[in-house]
Amino acid sequence: MSDFQMYHSLAQGDSDDQRPRTQPAPLQFQPPIAPSPYQQVGTNYNAAPDAYPPYSNAQTGAPNYPAPNTSYNQMQGHVLPPQSGTPVQDGVLAAQMGGLDLGGQAAPARAGKKKKDRHAHHVLEAPSGSSAAFNGIPSMGIPTTPFLNNDPSIQPRQDAQFGGQQNAPQMSPYPVGVNTPFNQGQQPPNAGFGFQNGAPEPTASVASSPQGRVDPDQIPSVPGSRDASTQFYLRNVYPTLEQHLPPPGAVSFVAYDQGNSSPKFTRLTMNNIPSTAEALRSTGLPLGLLLQPLAPLQAGELEIPVLDFGDTGPPRCHRCRAYINPFMTFRSGGNKFVCNMCTYPNDVPPEYYSAITPQGARLDREQRPELMRGTVEFLVPKEYWSKEPVGLRWLFLIDVCQESLNKGYLEAFCEGITGALYGGDADESADGELKRRIPPGAKVGFVTFDKDIHFYNVNPALEQAQMMIMPDMDEPFVPFSEGLFVDPYESKSIITSLLNQLPALFADVKNPEPALLPSLNAALAALEMTGGKVICSLAALPTWGPGRLFLRDTGNTQNAENDKKLLTTEHPGWKKIAEKMVASGIGVDFFLAAPGGGYLDVATIGYVSATTGGETFYYPNFLAPRDTPKLSQEIMHTVTRETGYQALMKVRCSNGLQIASYHGNFVQHTFGADLELGVIDADKAMGVLFSYDGKLDAKLDAHFQSALLYTTANGERRVRCCNVVASVSDFAKDCMTYVDQDAVYNIIAKEAATKMATSSLKDVRGAITEKNVDILAGYRKNFSGSHPPGQLVLPENLKEFSMYMLGLIKSRAFKGGHEPTDRRVHDMRMIKSMGALELSLYLYPRMIPIHNLNAEDGFPDPETGHLKMPPSLRTSFSRVEEGGVYIVDNGQNCYLWIHAQVSPNLLVDLFGEGRDSLQALDPYSSALPILETHLNAQVRNIMEYLKTVRGSKALTLQLARQGLDGAEYEFARLLVEDRNNEAQSYVDWLVQIHRHVQLELVGQRKKEDSGDNSLVSNFAGLRTPHWL
């Protein structure tokens, strides 16, 4: 990644930063490096800026390339941000939105800001001008520019790669923005490392444009916050006890476990908790815990210790059953330990005894990982077993119906299974043996289905696989006892031969109707005694046999939003199979390919995967040439990620708190019972909300412990314990300093997704808006100090919170207007299981320009070894340059958007000779070719890095050529700062939220009719029909 100087023009870093440093972080990503620079025939990357004529719309000349050793700041010509600790000028937010008049003068600079004063504020005053500029349309007297609403990070550079000087712009389908001057006055945001040594926390300065309107560059920026934090954590380790505010969810970091669990596993919404329910209510914030118990580690982090206490099991509190952890104290000479949850004094087992120091610490503390680390695993004895633990059984349930054959889905799925189990030649070790993709003890089996169910005996003693057909759809059973599940490496030749022959085997059969529910019952019969995981493909609506489904979604847009029945299932057969699978320790992952984007009833089919703890991979319009690589990578990820089965989850908390609710994909039979999951994997997360049943003591800390009992893929029964501690304060204002923004919106999103089953989407959107207003109004009313009533005051740690809430309202799960119920319910269940990283990208995608990269971008920094990434942009069309090329990635899909007036030279350097126009590109390509050009190597390295910072979905490119590809609509939908997805723009949203905060302060806000995605519809004169 780029060093801090590369971000000076964005006010996102400072080389003279005075923050205390911890030890440097180890290398996190070393991409495959292509030689650089490349020389291409007829192209000189190192030519002087005037060596070639500038490229224009009417001219196809060679582009201007940056001169070597030219720094980013020299190209940009921006002013460096003020040093840490210097006074920051507070700006004003001025605009007029319909009948809401906003404007004002800049506030004078304030020296010596107090530590308490942690907020950004905006002033609302007299009316001034029109709001047309907010939609990118310049007002009278404002000069237009060929670059739409120039962003400081993408200022046109005379010597930028493929940039050159632009001639007069031609007509564009996108609005032309205001060429707003950039006022450099914003301090680098403190993402989790700003409250040290009593240094004053900077506020976000927001300036108005010369015309007195809202300056979109000065409202809180999600990309700016991410980039600044990324730079910090490339050079610093996150110590889990010394710091009390975790890094942003989308930032890659190395955590050092000091006894408090890493934020990768656990995130509290507030790391300083109010002592009473009334104090928490004054903040408007939820008190919750985001759990991702099997989250993957990265290079440089210590492995989770696995501890074996023999037949006695790990020491536990006799009253509340909490597991031993670093926060339990020892007394009576080491003979008793006091539970940190319920304060009960327990006798120390004789085999666990150790003398203690005068300070109460055990002499062997440093040799005991359970007393030093926040996240540990315990091997548990037989009393924790429900059945004899064995290695994980993988059952591949493959759809061989006509639709699957015709679209190439069957062949692609078989290729994906082969790649997941065996990989390529690179997976062979030096002695010629395959590297294991699944752990020893795990086994695989294969079943196919259409109108019938076909079992395959793949015993290694056979010469080829044997197929047995099960015609009984009502009560299917396994026709043979041995040979269904085998070690995939002992039977490699038989398995690969079977997978290669399956498409040809069923080419002449072509049954059009699959029988899915009987096939799932057959899978249950095969796995009932051991538990395991089913990976099932499906390419058509299962309309055959028991449990057949029908076309429930008729596309009626008038009733779709209010018809909650379409978002869940009432079919007793599907509910019954899901409950039986959870009880047997079985989970299902579905890979669904909708026929031509048609209806698959994901609400019913996906219910089984959501209930059992699995996942649904949905391809709404599967095209084999384009989507096969993505499908193969996602099957490989599913098989190789850490997976456990037969899981139970329990969360415990300190006296004075209690569990209020759980949110996620699991089964909980009664309130207070353990959560049951058939399977759980590294990408699954859940939310826990707490309530008060008493008053907390501010002199003591609050403690939380999650315990996940599960069987690993290699057949060990373990408990993974995650321990979290938070301070307690009698003053709610102190708690606002340590709010984790990512945990807050994640908990709110999961709660909203849970409510979709019982409330209308209109009410859910209204509740999200209400929560946003409640939090900001609570802060403004109770904690912001004395400010003029017209100021919009944002807590420093919740500056981007409103943007994430807007992204949530614009998501497929909650958006207004028509949305296919399959896609809506799929995204709803996905939100319920997303971790912090995946949800952060889902709500606010990355947008990276690749047409104006510096020569150093996309290659390792020679000093640190980290990849230098170009700065991300705000996701808005106002940041799009004419002739630009952009990567937009929301963690689910990645689009390469190419402007219609793009330079042919750029296309040739990116895609190869002969690809010098948009029409010459392959619309079904999913990856860049490997070329010996500098730009191609840069973009491929950037893509490799992006693969390391995402959730469960594979990263493949999908082209979105302007005016040619339907994917351009998806690209536009991801620009969440614009007015789209049946909701307003970011600027409009902030102004609307502020209006409601003002009404709350004067006691005129109405809550009883929250009907729309914004509360504005409640007030006369402010109704906006385009939001409906």
Side-chain angles (χ1 to χ4, degrees), residues 931-949:
L931 304 176
E932 291 189 353
T933 63
H934 189 79
L935 178 66
N936 182 272
Q938 286 180 300
V939 179
R940 284 189 290 110
N941 286 342
I942 289 172
M943 295 293 292
E944 287 297 319
Y945 170 76
L946 294 181
K947 289 179 181 179
T948 67
V949 281

Side-chain angles (χ1 to χ4, degrees), residues 944-964:
E944 287 297 319
Y945 170 76
L946 294 181
K947 289 179 181 179
T948 67
V949 281
R950 61 196 298 105
S952 62
K953 305 302 188 296
L955 184 140
T956 56
L957 274 181
Q958 183 173 348
L959 293 186
R961 301 168 294 174
Q962 186 183 16
L964 293 177

Side-chain angles (χ1 to χ4, degrees), residues 456-637:
Y456 295 88
N457 186 341
V458 287
N459 193 309
L462 300 174
E463 292 184 1
Q464 64 179 12
Q466 296 177 347
M467 179 174 74
M468 299 190 70
I469 299 176
M470 171 55 59
D472 187 355
M473 294 287 103
D474 294 319
E475 295 182 0
F477 59 91
V478 181
F480 48 87
S481 58
E482 292 185 2
L484 179 60
F485 291 102
V486 297
D487 187 305
Y489 302 99
E490 294 178 359
S491 303
K492 180 188 174 185
S493 59
I494 296 177
I495 291 174
T496 53
S497 175
L498 170 66
L499 293 175
N500 290 335
Q501 293 175 8
L502 278 180
L505 187 62
F506 291 92
D508 298 327
V509 180
K510 291 188 176 179
N511 284 321
E513 298 178 289
L516 180 58
L517 184 60
S519 303
L520 291 175
N521 279 313
L524 172 63
L527 292 169
E528 194 168 14
M529 299 305 295
T530 60
K533 186 161 188 176
V534 178
I535 296 181
C536 177
S537 71
L538 183 69
L541 187 66
T543 56
W544 186 264
R548 57 184 176 271
L549 301 178
F550 305 94
L551 184 66
R552 293 197 298 160
D553 185 0
T554 59
N556 187 342
T557 57
Q558 295 180 350
N559 298 326
E561 190 166 315
N562 297 323
D563 195 352
K564 296 185 289 295
K565 293 181 180 179
L566 295 177
L567 302 180
T568 183
T569 182
E570 300 296 331
H571 197 294
W574 291 85
K575 287 189 169 184
K576 185 177 181 181
I577 186 68
E579 292 173 1
K580 285 185 176 180
M581 283 187 164
V582 172
S584 300
I586 305 169
V588 186
D589 280 1
F590 283 110
F591 288 80
L592 306 180
Y599 181 66
L600 271 186
D601 200 355
V602 175
T604 298
I605 297 171
Y607 175 84
V608 178
S609 62
T611 304
T612 60
E615 185 169 1
T616 300
F617 295 85
Y618 182 52
Y619 308 91
N621 187 19
F622 182 84
L623 295 171
R626 181 192 68 198
D627 296 326
T628 295
K630 183 176 176 68
L631 173 65
S632 297
Q633 292 177 40
E634 288 176 349
I635 295 174
M636 182 182 300
H637 179 74

Side-chain angles (χ1 to χ4, degrees), residues 520-858:
L520 291 175
N521 279 313
L524 172 63
L527 292 169
E528 194 168 14
M529 299 305 295
T530 60
K533 186 161 188 176
V534 178
I535 296 181
C536 177
S537 71
L538 183 69
L541 187 66
T543 56
W544 186 264
R548 57 184 176 271
L549 301 178
F550 305 94
L551 184 66
R552 293 197 298 160
D553 185 0
T554 59
N556 187 342
T557 57
Q558 295 180 350
N559 298 326
E561 190 166 315
N562 297 323
D563 195 352
K564 296 185 289 295
K565 293 181 180 179
L566 295 177
L567 302 180
T568 183
T569 182
E570 300 296 331
H571 197 294
W574 291 85
K575 287 189 169 184
K576 185 177 181 181
I577 186 68
E579 292 173 1
K580 285 185 176 180
M581 283 187 164
V582 172
S584 300
I586 305 169
V588 186
D589 280 1
F590 283 110
F591 288 80
L592 306 180
Y599 181 66
L600 271 186
D601 200 355
V602 175
T604 298
I605 297 171
Y607 175 84
V608 178
S609 62
T611 304
T612 60
E615 185 169 1
T616 300
F617 295 85
Y618 182 52
Y619 308 91
N621 187 19
F622 182 84
L623 295 171
R626 181 192 68 198
D627 296 326
T628 295
K630 183 176 176 68
L631 173 65
S632 297
Q633 292 177 40
E634 288 176 349
I635 295 174
M636 182 182 300
H637 179 74
T638 299
V639 172
T640 57
R641 65 186 170 187
E642 184 174 3
T643 303
Y645 67 105
Q646 295 180 28
L648 295 174
M649 166 75 81
K650 179 76 172 179
V651 177
R652 298 176 174 86
C653 54
S654 294
N655 286 340
L657 296 173
Q658 60 184 359
I659 307 294
S661 59
Y662 291 95
H663 300 284
N665 293 330
F666 47 76
V667 170
Q668 186 180 24
H669 291 293
T670 59
F671 180 75
D674 294 350
L675 309 184
E676 298 182 30
L677 304 102
V679 294
I680 186 169
D681 57 63
D683 297 311
K684 298 299 178 291
M686 59 197 71
V688 189
L689 279 172
F690 301 97
S691 61
Y692 289 79
D693 63 358
K695 185 177 184 298
L696 299 178
D697 188 349
K699 298 177 183 177
L700 303 175
D701 291 334
H703 297 272
F704 306 86
Q705 183 184 79
S706 71
L708 174 70
L709 174 64
Y710 72 107
T711 305
T712 64
N714 61 357
E716 291 182 338
R717 195 70 171 159
R718 297 180 182 178
V719 171
R720 175 164 292 198
C721 279
C722 299
N723 301 283
V724 194
V725 63
S727 55
V728 178
S729 176
D730 288 328
F731 304 100
K733 184 174 182 178
D734 297 338
C735 303
M736 297 301 293
T737 303
Y738 303 105
V739 175
D740 183 349
Q741 176 176 260
D742 293 273
V744 172
Y745 68 69
N746 211 308
I747 292 291
I748 292 174
K750 285 176 168 49
E751 188 176 15
T754 303
K755 288 182 179 178
M756 282 181 64
T758 56
S759 303
S760 70
L761 287 168
K762 196 175 180 183
D763 291 340
V764 172
R765 289 193 299 272
I768 294 171
T769 307
E770 288 274 2
K771 196 63 176 175
N772 194 353
V773 174
D774 287 343
I775 291 171
L776 296 186
Y779 182 79
R780 180 69 178 86
K781 184 190 302 183
N782 302 311
F783 313 121
S784 65
S786 58
H787 291 282
Q791 289 181 348
L792 171 60
V793 183
L794 302 175
E796 177 62 24
N797 296 326
L798 293 171
K799 290 198 305 292
E800 300 91 19
F801 175 71
S802 295
M803 180 63 249
Y804 284 112
M805 289 291 97
L806 178 60
L808 188 61
I809 285 175
K810 289 185 175 185
S811 68
R812 288 192 187 276
F814 302 110
K815 68 182 285 292
H818 176 67
E819 186 71 25
T821 55
D822 275 356
R823 305 199 72 171
R824 192 183 291 278
V825 74
H826 169 258
D827 281 35
M828 177 265 286
R829 287 175 177 150
M830 191 170 62
I831 286 173
K832 291 171 70 174
S833 66
M834 278 181 171
L837 166 63
E838 197 168 4
L839 185 61
S840 180
L841 293 177
Y842 178 76
L843 298 183
Y844 196 99
R846 305 183 185 99
M847 180 169 166
I848 301 173
I850 62 173
H851 58 281
N852 57 1
L853 295 175
N854 290 317
E856 303 85 7
D857 290 339

